[in-house]
Amino acid sequence: MSSSSDTNGGKKTGKKNVGEGHVRRSISIRLIRHGESQNNQVYRDARRIYNGGTPDFDLKGWLQYVDDRRSADPGLSDIGKIQAKKLAQYLKPHLMNQASRPVRFVVSPMQRTIATILPTLEALNGNNSDGGDDPGACNVMINGFYFESEGCHTREKVEPGMNAKQINASLLKPAGVKNASFEGFQNGEENGWYSHGKGPETRHESEERAAKFYVWMMEYLDQQLSEVEEQEVHDIFDAGVTLPGEEHEQCHDRLGPRTRTRRTAIFVGHGDFMSLVLKRIVAGFGHAVEKQTVPHRSAFVHFNTGITELEYFGNGRFLIMSQNNMPHLSGPDGGSYITGGYLKDGWSYLMPTDGCLDSEVSVAFSDEVQPHVQEQTEALRSLYLSKKESTSTSSDNQAKDDEDNTGTELTVVVKRGLQVVGCASLNEKTGRLSDVVVRPSARRSQVGHSLIEAVKNHAKQSNIDKIVAQTNTLDQKEFFEKMGFSSVDPFEGDKSDDLYSSEIFRMECKL
């Protein structure tokens, strides 16, 4: 990929890109999922014992087994403890050699996330050159917004979770972590992190919390980036620039020493909630929630202790450098400890079933269509409308009419969740219907019917007395006839016009 010059129709213009030569400072970020929890082990055993995912699945037995063994806030399983130890063996040299001090940790308040990162914190805090503790090695924050989806509950009954004093006394201080801060405890640090809960968190509540955490995360990082403008900061810089003396450093080497160490923030969280946050990092706001109670259409899978690397450039700008890596489990014996990232671990249950994705029809002026909808409608037309179909409504007279009717063109779409499966254009002034297209895989599911009915309903509300359309295939002609259109002859004066050649059928629907 080249950024040396702009392009114009595929040709280089020789002009510099806007911003070329500007300093692009960033903070290095790691998102890390917790090690295997005792609950993960319970669910895995239940799927094996009760034939999960097979025709012989025993739902009643599965539910009873899980209810009897599931913990509201579990610790790590035996495998999870090994994963946490191996993670620390990787992170210690990585962070000592490449991250500035202190390394910033933002950790979920749940026991399994804290237990996952404790070996790393112990290793970093005990790494003073004189053999003593290094209290400035880590800056630890326990964030009450960062817990796993559904919250903390036993058989639908809310459990408050630990408060700040309990987390300090039972988990952090024994590991040598001092002066940890606490954020997002909604009923105060003296109460448990989920004491505000009214029941298991719903999917909609999880999505709302993910949006809240995403905003908080950006502010947390933006405040650090702003330090550059206020004081001399040596660990926030443009890491894309190689300075003299750094030529020998290899970017792929995660363990070797660096001449300049970087500001690094590590977020230790949970598989599903990290996926909700990553959706917003990728798509921003507005594209993340499809329908209340319906799981997300796309998700980011993480193995237990899987690492996703990001770069943050400020003002909501992220680069995803790598996703779900496990360098600490890449050795000869590491494979036996890779867990939690397969379909059989339950990730497929995040996908909505077909029945959840009801068709939804929307109508908007063409210049008011949301960008992600506009992008899909243009792609549908490009893929599934032939050149004749897309131009069959064009003529010198109609081109002039379109110029006179600017602002009256409507786009009608049928969506399933966020996916556009059909679209059409309607000119409110002329009643002209054009560019009707339905994805081939959706043509047997009443999408075309919903699309034309929506057009007719809007036309009636707008006092349009008839809709006119043109098609060049018999199949489309039959479809329009089923939708109440009739074939009409062109006016005598138009018969010589190419618009009404023998290949074009002119259809009309009186309302």
Side-chain angles (χ1 to χ4, degrees):
M1 180 176 65
S2 173
S3 60
S4 61
S5 61
D6 288 337
T7 59
N8 182 10
K11 298 180 180 179
K12 292 186 177 181
T13 64
K15 296 179 181 179
K16 280 191 173 183
N17 281 335
V18 175
E20 184 175 327
H22 287 201
V23 176
R24 293 173 171 84
R25 299 181 179 89
S26 62
I27 296 175
S28 181
I29 299 170
R30 305 288 183 272
L31 303 183
I32 302 178
R33 186 188 175 195
H34 61 79
E36 183 186 72
S37 73
Q38 293 166 339
N39 280 358
N40 292 148
Q41 185 172 344
V42 166
Y43 284 114
R44 185 178 67 245
D45 292 343
R47 280 189 291 275
R48 175 178 52 81
I49 296 169
Y50 296 99
N51 302 309
T54 74
D56 299 323
F57 177 48
D58 180 0
L59 177 60
K60 184 177 179 181
W62 186 90
L63 290 172
Q64 186 63 53
Y65 183 91
V66 170
D67 278 348
D68 290 343
R69 293 163 177 80
R70 180 188 178 277
S71 170
D73 188 9
L76 295 178
S77 69
D78 291 339
I79 289 179
K81 293 173 184 177
I82 295 173
Q83 292 167 339
K85 181 178 178 181
K86 287 182 173 294
L87 178 67
Q89 290 170 350
Y90 165 74
L91 287 179
K92 178 182 177 181
H94 169 61
L95 296 173
M96 283 175 52
N97 287 327
Q98 300 186 8
S100 62
R101 300 289 186 274
V103 181
R104 288 153 172 81
F105 292 86
V106 177
V107 187
S108 155
M110 302 191 88
Q111 292 191 56
R112 57 190 181 271
T113 48
I114 299 173
T116 295
I117 206 62
L118 279 181
T120 299
L121 299 176
E122 288 178 310
L124 294 175
N125 285 331
N127 193 60
N128 199 322
S129 58
D130 63 8
D133 290 343
D134 183 4
C138 305
N139 181 316
V140 179
M141 174 190 292
I142 306 298
N143 192 298
F145 295 136
Y146 203 36
F147 58 87
E148 179 62 305
S149 306
E150 294 191 9
C152 191
H153 63 93
T154 301
R155 296 186 178 89
E156 311 297 311
K157 179 183 177 182
V158 168
E159 302 284 352
M162 292 189 294
N163 62 25
K165 183 177 180 180
Q166 292 168 331
I167 291 174
N168 263 323
S170 63
L171 294 173
L172 298 180
K173 287 186 177 178
V177 178
K178 302 174 182 177
N179 302 318
S181 61
F182 294 82
E183 180 86 14
F185 281 56
Q186 297 185 46
N187 284 348
E189 296 178 15
E190 66 278 8
N191 295 304
W193 56 266
Y194 199 64
S195 60
H196 66 280
K198 306 300 181 184
E201 187 180 56
T202 66
R203 170 57 52 177
H204 190 69
E205 289 169 341
S206 295
E207 295 276 10
E208 287 182 339
R209 180 165 56 87
K212 183 187 298 185
F213 183 80
Y214 174 53
V215 171
W216 178 90
M217 179 184 189
M218 288 188 294
E219 178 62 20
Y220 172 76
L221 298 169
D222 281 335
Q223 286 185 8
Q224 295 180 53
L225 285 170
S226 69
E227 294 175 13
V228 176
E229 309 298 331
E230 300 168 0
Q231 55 188 298
E232 189 173 2
V233 175
H234 298 288
D235 62 345
I236 299 177
F237 50 85
D238 188 338
V241 175
T242 300
L243 297 184
E246 297 178 345
E247 296 86 353
H248 66 285
E249 297 178 359
Q250 300 294 321
C251 293
H252 64 268
D253 180 5
R254 301 299 189 187
L255 303 179
R258 293 286 189 265
T259 303
R260 295 178 294 168
T261 55
R262 301 187 59 203
R263 181 74 60 93
T264 303
I266 296 179
F267 294 77
V268 188
H270 306 266
D272 186 42
F273 193 71
M274 280 167 50
S275 179
L276 299 183
V277 174
L278 276 166
K279 281 202 302 178
R280 287 158 175 84
I281 287 174
V282 171
F285 297 102
H287 302 176
V289 182
E290 296 198 55
K291 180 179 175 184
Q292 189 168 346
T293 76
V294 174
H296 32 215
R297 177 185 299 278
S298 59
F300 293 85
V301 175
H302 284 85
F303 288 101
N304 293 118
T305 63
I307 303 171
T308 288
E309 298 186 9
L310 310 171
E311 291 288 335
Y312 184 69
F313 294 84
N315 299 312
R317 296 170 297 169
F318 289 88
L319 277 179
I320 298 180
M321 306 300 294
S322 65
Q323 198 260 328
N324 196 25
N325 286 336
M326 291 178 295
H328 52 294
L329 299 180
S330 60
D333 65 336
S336 59
Y337 301 115
I338 296 176
T339 63
Y342 301 105
L343 291 179
K344 290 183 178 179
D345 291 305
W347 285 97
S348 59
Y349 289 98
L350 292 181
M351 294 295 100
T353 59
D354 291 340
C356 291
L357 298 176
D358 301 328
S359 294
E360 174 189 348
V361 181
S362 63
V363 181
F365 286 110
S366 295
D367 59 354
E368 296 177 351
V369 175
Q370 293 182 340
H372 75 282
V373 173
Q374 180 67 28
E375 184 179 68
Q376 292 184 71
T377 59
E378 290 176 356
L380 281 177
R381 289 164 180 160
S382 176
L383 285 169
Y384 303 118
L385 280 181
S386 68
K387 186 175 181 180
K388 286 185 177 181
E389 288 175 297
S390 61
T391 60
S392 64
T393 56
S394 66
S395 69
D396 291 340
N397 290 335
Q398 280 193 309
K400 185 177 185 303
D401 288 343
D402 289 343
E403 291 177 3
D404 295 339
N405 297 323
T406 301
T408 64
E409 194 78 12
L410 294 170
T411 296
V412 184
V413 301
V414 179
K415 297 188 297 180
R416 286 178 178 163
L418 295 177
Q419 185 185 58
V420 176
V421 292
C423 61
S425 296
L426 174 69
N427 190 294
E428 276 195 321
K429 193 167 184 178
T430 64
R432 178 171 57 87
L433 177 64
S434 61
D435 291 348
V436 179
V437 58
V438 175
R439 286 186 59 189
S441 61
R443 288 175 185 171
R444 296 182 179 273
S445 54
Q446 299 296 306
V447 171
H449 180 275
S450 299
L451 193 64
I452 300 304
E453 285 299 321
V455 169
K456 291 164 67 175
N457 289 336
H458 182 83
K460 291 176 182 177
Q461 294 171 7
S462 301
N463 297 317
I464 299 173
D465 59 357
K466 68 178 178 181
I467 302 172
V468 294
Q470 291 167 191
T471 180
N472 62 349
T473 70
L474 288 173
D475 287 344
Q476 292 175 355
K477 177 177 180 290
E478 291 175 1
F479 167 74
F480 278 113
E481 288 173 343
K482 289 178 181 178
M483 295 304 302
F485 285 71
S486 58
S487 182
V488 296
D489 291 329
F491 294 109
E492 291 295 325
D494 291 332
K495 284 186 176 180
S496 62
D497 196 315
D498 288 341
L499 176 64
Y500 300 114
S501 67
S502 58
E503 296 181 358
I504 299 296
F505 302 101
R506 186 171 189 268
M507 312 297 294
E508 182 178 276
C509 180
K510 294 182 178 180
L511 303 174

